[in-house]
Short mmCIF file of all heavy atoms in Angstrom, two decimals:
data_model
loop_
_atom_site.label_atom_id
_atom_site.label_comp_id
_atom_site.label_asym_id
_atom_site.label_seq_id
_atom_site.Cartn_x
_atom_site.Cartn_y
_atom_site.Cartn_z
N ARG A 98 -6.88 -37.81 -67.37
CA ARG A 98 -7.02 -39.30 -67.55
C ARG A 98 -8.28 -39.65 -66.85
O ARG A 98 -8.41 -39.68 -65.68
CB ARG A 98 -5.84 -40.03 -66.91
CG ARG A 98 -6.10 -41.51 -66.97
CD ARG A 98 -4.75 -42.21 -66.39
NE ARG A 98 -5.10 -43.62 -66.34
CZ ARG A 98 -4.07 -44.47 -66.02
NH1 ARG A 98 -2.84 -44.14 -65.81
NH2 ARG A 98 -4.38 -45.78 -65.87
N GLU A 114 -12.76 -48.83 -70.09
CA GLU A 114 -11.68 -48.32 -70.80
C GLU A 114 -12.15 -47.69 -72.17
O GLU A 114 -11.69 -46.60 -72.55
CB GLU A 114 -10.54 -49.38 -71.06
CG GLU A 114 -9.43 -48.86 -71.67
CD GLU A 114 -8.23 -49.89 -71.86
OE1 GLU A 114 -8.38 -50.96 -71.24
OE2 GLU A 114 -7.13 -49.48 -72.42
N GLU A 117 -13.91 -44.40 -71.36
CA GLU A 117 -12.81 -43.45 -71.02
C GLU A 117 -12.12 -42.85 -72.25
O GLU A 117 -11.87 -41.73 -72.30
CB GLU A 117 -11.83 -44.09 -70.05
CG GLU A 117 -12.43 -44.41 -68.53
CD GLU A 117 -11.41 -45.33 -67.79
OE1 GLU A 117 -10.40 -45.68 -68.36
OE2 GLU A 117 -11.81 -45.60 -66.71
N GLU A 118 -11.82 -43.77 -73.11
CA GLU A 118 -11.27 -43.33 -74.38
C GLU A 118 -12.07 -42.31 -75.13
O GLU A 118 -11.77 -41.33 -75.67
CB GLU A 118 -10.74 -44.44 -75.26
CG GLU A 118 -9.68 -45.38 -74.59
CD GLU A 118 -8.30 -44.65 -74.61
OE1 GLU A 118 -8.19 -43.70 -75.44
OE2 GLU A 118 -7.58 -44.95 -73.68
N LEU A 121 -12.21 -39.07 -73.24
CA LEU A 121 -11.10 -38.35 -73.38
C LEU A 121 -11.01 -37.68 -74.86
O LEU A 121 -10.48 -36.45 -74.90
CB LEU A 121 -9.85 -39.18 -73.27
CG LEU A 121 -8.42 -38.57 -73.39
CD1 LEU A 121 -8.23 -37.44 -72.33
CD2 LEU A 121 -7.38 -39.72 -73.11
N ASP A 122 -11.46 -38.36 -75.75
CA ASP A 122 -11.58 -37.76 -77.22
C ASP A 122 -12.39 -36.49 -77.21
O ASP A 122 -12.20 -35.43 -77.76
CB ASP A 122 -11.98 -38.74 -78.27
CG ASP A 122 -11.00 -39.84 -78.48
OD1 ASP A 122 -9.77 -39.69 -78.15
OD2 ASP A 122 -11.35 -40.91 -78.93
N ASP A 481 0.46 -39.32 -69.04
CA ASP A 481 -0.28 -40.38 -68.70
C ASP A 481 0.55 -41.77 -69.05
O ASP A 481 1.03 -41.98 -70.14
CB ASP A 481 -1.57 -40.42 -69.51
CG ASP A 481 -2.38 -41.63 -69.03
OD1 ASP A 481 -2.14 -42.46 -68.27
OD2 ASP A 481 -3.67 -41.60 -69.53
N ALA A 482 0.68 -42.52 -68.06
CA ALA A 482 1.50 -43.77 -68.13
C ALA A 482 0.94 -44.70 -69.26
O ALA A 482 1.59 -45.42 -70.07
CB ALA A 482 1.59 -44.50 -66.84
N ARG A 483 -0.33 -44.68 -69.53
CA ARG A 483 -1.02 -45.56 -70.52
C ARG A 483 -0.65 -45.16 -71.86
O ARG A 483 -0.29 -46.02 -72.79
CB ARG A 483 -2.46 -45.61 -70.33
CG ARG A 483 -3.04 -46.37 -69.09
CD ARG A 483 -4.51 -46.51 -68.97
NE ARG A 483 -5.17 -45.26 -69.05
CZ ARG A 483 -6.54 -45.06 -68.78
NH1 ARG A 483 -7.22 -46.28 -68.66
NH2 ARG A 483 -7.11 -43.91 -68.84
N LYS A 484 -0.56 -43.82 -72.03
CA LYS A 484 -0.12 -43.31 -73.41
C LYS A 484 1.37 -43.66 -73.61
O LYS A 484 1.74 -44.00 -74.78
CB LYS A 484 -0.28 -41.93 -73.45
CG LYS A 484 -1.76 -41.36 -73.57
CD LYS A 484 -1.82 -39.95 -73.83
CE LYS A 484 -3.36 -39.55 -74.02
NZ LYS A 484 -3.49 -38.11 -74.40
N VAL A 485 2.12 -43.65 -72.57
CA VAL A 485 3.58 -43.90 -72.81
C VAL A 485 3.76 -45.38 -73.20
O VAL A 485 4.55 -45.77 -74.00
CB VAL A 485 4.34 -43.66 -71.49
CG1 VAL A 485 5.78 -44.07 -71.60
CG2 VAL A 485 4.27 -42.12 -71.16
N GLN A 486 2.95 -46.31 -72.43
CA GLN A 486 3.04 -47.67 -72.80
C GLN A 486 2.59 -48.02 -74.11
O GLN A 486 3.25 -48.87 -74.83
CB GLN A 486 2.23 -48.47 -71.74
CG GLN A 486 2.86 -48.42 -70.28
CD GLN A 486 4.03 -49.09 -70.10
OE1 GLN A 486 4.48 -50.01 -70.90
NE2 GLN A 486 4.81 -48.71 -69.12
N ARG A 487 1.52 -47.37 -74.63
CA ARG A 487 1.08 -47.56 -76.00
C ARG A 487 2.06 -47.12 -76.98
O ARG A 487 2.33 -47.74 -77.97
CB ARG A 487 -0.23 -46.99 -76.13
CG ARG A 487 -1.41 -47.66 -75.53
CD ARG A 487 -2.77 -47.16 -76.06
NE ARG A 487 -3.08 -45.81 -75.69
CZ ARG A 487 -3.68 -45.54 -74.61
NH1 ARG A 487 -4.25 -46.31 -73.86
NH2 ARG A 487 -4.00 -44.23 -74.50
N ARG A 488 2.71 -46.05 -76.77
CA ARG A 488 3.64 -45.42 -77.62
C ARG A 488 4.90 -46.32 -77.75
O ARG A 488 5.49 -46.60 -78.82
CB ARG A 488 4.08 -44.06 -77.24
CG ARG A 488 5.14 -43.36 -78.13
CD ARG A 488 4.81 -43.44 -79.54
NE ARG A 488 3.72 -42.74 -79.99
CZ ARG A 488 3.22 -42.67 -81.19
NH1 ARG A 488 3.69 -43.40 -82.14
NH2 ARG A 488 2.12 -41.97 -81.42
N ARG A 489 5.28 -46.84 -76.51
CA ARG A 489 6.48 -47.83 -76.42
C ARG A 489 6.20 -49.04 -77.27
O ARG A 489 7.14 -49.60 -77.97
CB ARG A 489 6.82 -48.10 -75.05
CG ARG A 489 7.45 -46.97 -74.28
CD ARG A 489 7.56 -47.27 -72.73
NE ARG A 489 8.34 -48.49 -72.58
CZ ARG A 489 9.59 -48.56 -72.42
NH1 ARG A 489 10.31 -47.54 -72.55
NH2 ARG A 489 10.21 -49.74 -72.25
N ALA A 490 4.98 -49.55 -77.20
CA ALA A 490 4.59 -50.73 -77.86
C ALA A 490 4.63 -50.55 -79.42
O ALA A 490 5.13 -51.37 -80.18
CB ALA A 490 3.24 -51.26 -77.43
N ARG A 491 4.22 -49.33 -79.88
CA ARG A 491 4.15 -49.10 -81.28
C ARG A 491 5.69 -48.83 -81.77
O ARG A 491 5.97 -49.23 -82.88
CB ARG A 491 3.34 -47.78 -81.53
CG ARG A 491 1.93 -47.84 -81.28
CD ARG A 491 1.25 -46.52 -81.40
NE ARG A 491 -0.16 -46.66 -81.09
CZ ARG A 491 -0.84 -45.65 -80.99
NH1 ARG A 491 -0.46 -44.33 -81.30
NH2 ARG A 491 -2.25 -45.71 -80.63
N ASP A 492 6.53 -48.28 -80.92
CA ASP A 492 7.82 -48.00 -81.37
C ASP A 492 8.81 -49.16 -81.21
O ASP A 492 9.96 -49.15 -81.66
CB ASP A 492 8.47 -46.91 -80.58
CG ASP A 492 7.79 -45.50 -80.82
OD1 ASP A 492 6.97 -45.42 -81.82
OD2 ASP A 492 7.92 -44.50 -80.08
N GLY A 493 8.35 -50.23 -80.55
CA GLY A 493 9.15 -51.42 -80.26
C GLY A 493 10.19 -51.15 -79.11
O GLY A 493 11.08 -51.86 -78.94
N SER A 494 9.81 -50.10 -78.33
CA SER A 494 10.78 -49.77 -77.17
C SER A 494 10.90 -50.85 -76.26
O SER A 494 11.93 -51.17 -75.53
CB SER A 494 10.48 -48.48 -76.58
OG SER A 494 10.44 -47.44 -77.60
N ASN A 495 9.79 -51.58 -75.97
CA ASN A 495 9.77 -52.61 -74.80
C ASN A 495 10.76 -53.71 -75.30
O ASN A 495 11.41 -54.30 -74.41
CB ASN A 495 8.35 -53.19 -74.79
CG ASN A 495 7.46 -52.09 -74.06
OD1 ASN A 495 7.94 -51.26 -73.39
ND2 ASN A 495 6.20 -52.27 -74.37
#
Side-chain angles (χ1 to χ4, degrees):
R98 174 175 173 171
E114 185 174 356
E117 291 167 358
E118 291 295 334
L121 181 59
D122 290 341
D481 187 352
R483 291 189 297 189
K484 287 187 175 181
V485 175
Q486 294 295 336
R487 285 196 292 266
R488 175 54 62 185
R489 285 170 58 87
R491 293 175 186 174
D492 296 345
S494 302
N495 293 330

